[in-house]
């Protein structure tokens, strides 16, 4: 028997350490190549580590919550698998006298729980039966296109009024699941019967993936889609409600009778928060910041967003003014290229330096997460249509909140947007993301009195704040860039030029 030790790899670019957040295996478990062993937190994000070996876990060498250097052994795996054939030189046990049915051990169930393993006759098809609580679907409803990629389900189980299946085949590749004929009117249906097989929650494949990443059971989400399907916006709303439910504000102060020293919560600074703190200090003191602000009449942007929300092309896609701002930043950077650049000091330590102007836009979006501030970026955002950019923004935000942002998504940013308006803040002076020379803060949009054509009328007003590296972006360039961004928010039709 050979025991292999798996060393902590460098999962990012130049990362030196990581914390073991959780183990997915324990000693004695059998693992195959690419089975997920554990989840680690690096300075960039949470990462799942797959097994490079097949065999049996013999020891977990690092407990959860401990930070270790890259190259440290974290787990040992033997090359034998639990249940391997008996070696040739081992004594052979006597054969049983009769093939009597196995009896359950005292105190154990007589049969495994549904989903814990296949039944002896699992390969046989069971006759289809209609649920007594549902109307019998018409025979013509089972069209060939409705059942592509589906196979009969062996062990359906009813839970919370929804029929699900242990090990049911995924229908992600078959598109949306059709609704069951004869569904009761009123609340949108949560599932549909396909050819009498199984009721499932209606949702598109990308929405199912997002729900898996967030750990959300789609059956718990109230669908608002036109056909009763769960949309991205439904998931965002459900996640926000779930976060609010775990708010511990009422119990935060604790018992007032305890000494104050015993009422201090000590939180180690590590992982993403540690890396962010280091980067922000370096940026604030290495790059000479200059900030400017501009008030913008975003009324036409609000009208444009309202039209997009009811557009068939954007059905099921969350659309917000941040989408228009992102497009405006891309457009304005093309007119003022030096804001999309990097200051590079000489490698030999001399006073010489270079400015690298990027002819591509990896647009960073600052996202607050429970593990700290992350700034994943949308690669080649300049090549995306408005719809593609909306999808990219949705996926980026949801993935970041779920802590599933990968290191590659955090690297190579060229310009960043931070949406502080989502929290009701008017504006601010953001710190430039390291490696970049500009960042735009998007404040809240409020109705305010505004002078238009000599009359004071209510308009939707926002304030943009921009911070710039004064070594690269001087006052004139920063003003022209911010004026161009403001121009798009005031008149989105300019994007059609």
């Amino acid at each position: 028997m050979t025991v292999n030790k798996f060393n902590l790899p460098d999962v990012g670019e130049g990362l030196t350490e990581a914390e073991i957040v959780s183990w997915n295996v324990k000693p004695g478990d059998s693992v195959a190549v690419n089975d997920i062993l554990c989840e680690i937190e690096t300075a960039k994000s949470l990462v799942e580590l797959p097994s490079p070996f097949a065999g049996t876990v013999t020891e977990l060498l690092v407990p959860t919550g401990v930070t270790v250097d890259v190259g440290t052994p974290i787990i040992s795996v033997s090359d034998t698998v639990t249940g391997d054939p008996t070696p040739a030189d081992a004594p052979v046990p006597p054969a049983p006298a009769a093939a009597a049915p196995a009896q359950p051990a005292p105190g154990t169930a007589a049969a495994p729980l549904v989903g814990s393993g296949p039944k002896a006759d699992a390969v046989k098809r069971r006759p289809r039966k209609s649920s007594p609580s549902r109307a019998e679907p018409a025979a013509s409803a089972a069209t060939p296109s409705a059942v592509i990629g589906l196979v009969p389900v062996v062990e359906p189980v009813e839970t919370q009024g929804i029929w699900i299946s242990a090990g049911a085949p995924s229908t992600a590749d078959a598109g949306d699941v059709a609704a069951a004929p004869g569904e009761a009117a009123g609340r949108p249906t949560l599932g549909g019967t396909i050819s009498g097989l199984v009721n499932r929650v209606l949702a598109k494949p990308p929405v199912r993936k997002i729900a898996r990443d967030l750990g959300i059971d789609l059956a718990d989400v109230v669908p608002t889609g036109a056909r009763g399907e769960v949309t991205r916006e439904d998931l965002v709303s459900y996640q926000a409600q779930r976060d609010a439910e775990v708010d511990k504000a009422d119990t935060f102060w604790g018992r007032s009778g305890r000494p104050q020293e015993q009422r201090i919560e000590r939180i180690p600074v590590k992982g993403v928060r540690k890396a962010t703190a280091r980067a922000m200090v370096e940026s604030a003191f290495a790059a000479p910041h200059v900030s400017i602000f501009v008030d913008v009449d975003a009324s036409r942007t609000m009208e444009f967003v309202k039209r997009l929300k009811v557009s068939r092309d954007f059905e099921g896609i969350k659309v917000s003014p941040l989408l228009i701002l992102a497009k405006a930043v891309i457009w304005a950077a093309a007119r003022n290229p030096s804001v999309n650049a990097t200051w590079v000091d000489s490698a030999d330590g001399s006073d010489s330096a270079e400015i690298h102007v990027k002819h591509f836009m990896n647009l960073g979006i600052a996202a607050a997460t429970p593990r700290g501030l992350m700034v994943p970026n949308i690669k080649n955002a300049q090549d995306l249509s408005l719809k593609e950019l909306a999808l990219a923004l949705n996926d980026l935000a949801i993935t970041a909140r779920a802590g599933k942002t990968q290191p590659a998504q955090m690297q190579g940013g060229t310009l960043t947007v931070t949406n502080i308006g989502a929290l009701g803040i008017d504006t601010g002076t953001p710190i430039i993301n390291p490696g970049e020379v500009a960042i735009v803060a998007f404040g809240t949009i409020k109705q305010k009195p505004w002078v238009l054509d000599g009359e004071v009328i209510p308009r939707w007003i926002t304030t943009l704040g921009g911070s710039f590296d004064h070594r690269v972006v001087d006052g004139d360039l920063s003003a022209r860039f911010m004026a161009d961004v403001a121009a798009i928010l005031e008149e989105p039709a300019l994007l059609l030029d």
Side-chain angles (χ1 to χ4, degrees), residues 292 294 322 325-326 328-329 332 339 363-366 415-420 427-433 436-443 463-468 481-482 485-486 489:
I292 60 175
V294 57
L322 178 62
L325 176 73
V329 167
V339 302
L363 181 63
I365 305 294
L415 197 155
T416 295
V417 170
T418 176
N419 185 19
I420 58 176
T427 190
T429 54
I431 297 177
I432 302 167
N433 202 34
E436 302 172 16
V437 299
I439 183 172
V440 177
F442 189 23
T463 302
L464 300 179
S467 292
F468 304 89
F481 170 73
M482 293 295 285
V485 173
L489 292 179

Side-chain angles (χ1 to χ4, degrees), residues 326-419:
K327 202 68 174 177
V329 167
I330 297 169
W331 182 82
R335 293 164 58 92
N336 306 276
S338 291
V339 302
N340 192 53
T342 299
W343 174 279
V344 181
D345 288 311
S346 174
D348 59 11
S350 64
D351 292 338
S352 60
E354 291 182 340
I355 296 173
H356 293 182
V357 178
K358 314 291 179 63
H359 290 259
F360 56 88
M361 171 72 78
N362 291 344
L363 181 63
I365 305 294
T369 74
R371 295 184 176 274
L373 181 69
M374 291 184 177
V375 189
N377 58 77
I378 301 171
K379 308 298 184 188
N380 291 309
Q382 79 284 348
D383 295 333
L384 301 182
S385 66
L386 196 62
K387 181 178 180 179
E388 291 169 337
L389 187 58
L391 288 170
L393 285 169
N394 285 192
D395 291 341
L396 178 147
I398 293 174
T399 302
R401 278 194 291 268
K404 299 295 183 180
T405 303
Q406 296 302 305
Q409 297 173 280
M410 306 275 287
Q411 298 168 0
T414 61
L415 197 155
T416 295
V417 170
T418 176
N419 185 19

Side-chain angles (χ1 to χ4, degrees), residues 118-126 151-155:
K119 296 180 66 176
D121 59 349
V123 295
K124 298 179 181 179
R125 291 190 178 186
R126 297 179 60 184
V151 296
V153 177
V154 176
E155 282 293 318

Side-chain angles (χ1 to χ4, degrees), residues 432-458:
I432 302 167
N433 202 34
E436 302 172 16
V437 299
I439 183 172
V440 177
F442 189 23
T444 187
I445 301 178
K446 299 178 181 177
Q447 275 201 322
K448 295 181 179 180
W450 191 259
V451 178
L452 185 66
D453 297 330
E455 296 184 9
V456 178
I457 58 175

Side-chain angles (χ1 to χ4, degrees), residues 44-126:
K44 300 291 185 180
S45 62
L46 289 178
V47 179
E48 293 177 333
L49 291 185
S51 175
F53 312 116
T56 301
V57 176
T58 58
E59 186 180 3
L60 305 182
L61 303 176
V62 178
T64 57
V66 174
T67 300
V68 295
D69 294 333
V70 168
T72 302
I74 60 174
I75 188 173
S76 58
V77 180
S78 71
D79 58 1
T80 59
V81 180
T82 302
D84 277 352
T86 304
D89 57 352
V92 180
Q103 297 298 323
T108 61
L113 295 175
V114 173
S116 62
K119 296 180 66 176
D121 59 349
V123 295
K124 298 179 181 179
R125 291 190 178 186
R126 297 179 60 184

Side-chain angles (χ1 to χ4, degrees), residues 56-348:
T56 301
V57 176
T58 58
E59 186 180 3
L60 305 182
L61 303 176
V62 178
T64 57
V66 174
T67 300
V68 295
D69 294 333
V70 168
T72 302
I74 60 174
I75 188 173
S76 58
V77 180
S78 71
D79 58 1
T80 59
V81 180
T82 302
D84 277 352
T86 304
D89 57 352
V92 180
Q103 297 298 323
T108 61
L113 295 175
V114 173
S116 62
K119 296 180 66 176
D121 59 349
V123 295
K124 298 179 181 179
R125 291 190 178 186
R126 297 179 60 184
R128 297 175 181 173
K129 296 181 180 180
S130 300
S131 172
S133 62
R134 296 189 180 273
E136 182 70 26
S140 61
T143 61
S145 62
V147 295
I148 292 176
L150 296 178
V151 296
V153 177
V154 176
E155 282 293 318
V157 182
E158 188 176 13
T159 173
Q160 298 179 353
I162 299 171
W163 285 94
I164 61 174
S165 168
S170 172
T171 60
D173 294 335
D176 290 348
V177 180
E183 284 289 333
R187 183 177 180 274
T189 61
L190 290 180
T193 301
I194 299 182
S195 189
L197 295 180
V198 61
N199 290 333
R200 299 191 64 192
V201 178
L202 301 184
K204 294 180 179 179
V207 176
R208 294 186 182 278
K209 180 180 183 304
I210 293 168
R212 286 196 301 271
D213 290 342
L214 290 174
I216 295 176
D217 184 351
L218 286 173
D220 295 335
V221 181
V222 177
T224 62
R227 292 171 294 171
E229 74 274 13
V230 176
T231 66
R232 282 182 175 84
E233 197 162 7
D234 295 335
L235 291 181
V236 172
S237 176
Y238 180 86
Q239 179 68 15
Q241 180 180 357
R242 189 165 67 171
D243 291 343
E245 290 174 352
V246 300
D247 188 355
K248 305 283 179 61
D250 292 340
T251 60
F252 172 76
W253 299 117
R255 290 165 45 195
S256 58
R258 294 171 57 196
Q260 290 188 351
E261 181 62 26
Q262 297 178 16
R263 296 161 62 190
I264 299 174
E265 182 181 5
R266 292 168 173 81
I267 303 174
V269 178
K270 54 188 177 181
V272 172
R273 193 172 298 278
K274 180 179 179 180
T276 300
R278 185 187 305 116
M280 291 298 98
V281 171
E282 178 184 345
S283 175
F285 290 97
H289 282 54
V290 60
S291 297
I292 60 175
F293 309 93
V294 57
D295 290 334
V296 182
D297 180 0
S299 299
R300 291 190 177 179
T301 284
M302 298 296 282
E303 294 171 2
F304 186 40
V305 169
K306 186 176 180 179
R307 290 198 300 271
L308 291 179
K309 287 182 177 180
V310 299
S311 168
R312 180 182 300 177
D313 290 340
F314 284 78
E315 181 180 355
I317 302 174
K318 181 180 179 181
V319 179
S320 73
L322 178 62
L323 170 64
I324 312 305
L325 176 73
K327 202 68 174 177
V329 167
I330 297 169
W331 182 82
R335 293 164 58 92
N336 306 276
S338 291
V339 302
N340 192 53
T342 299
W343 174 279
V344 181
D345 288 311
S346 174
D348 59 11

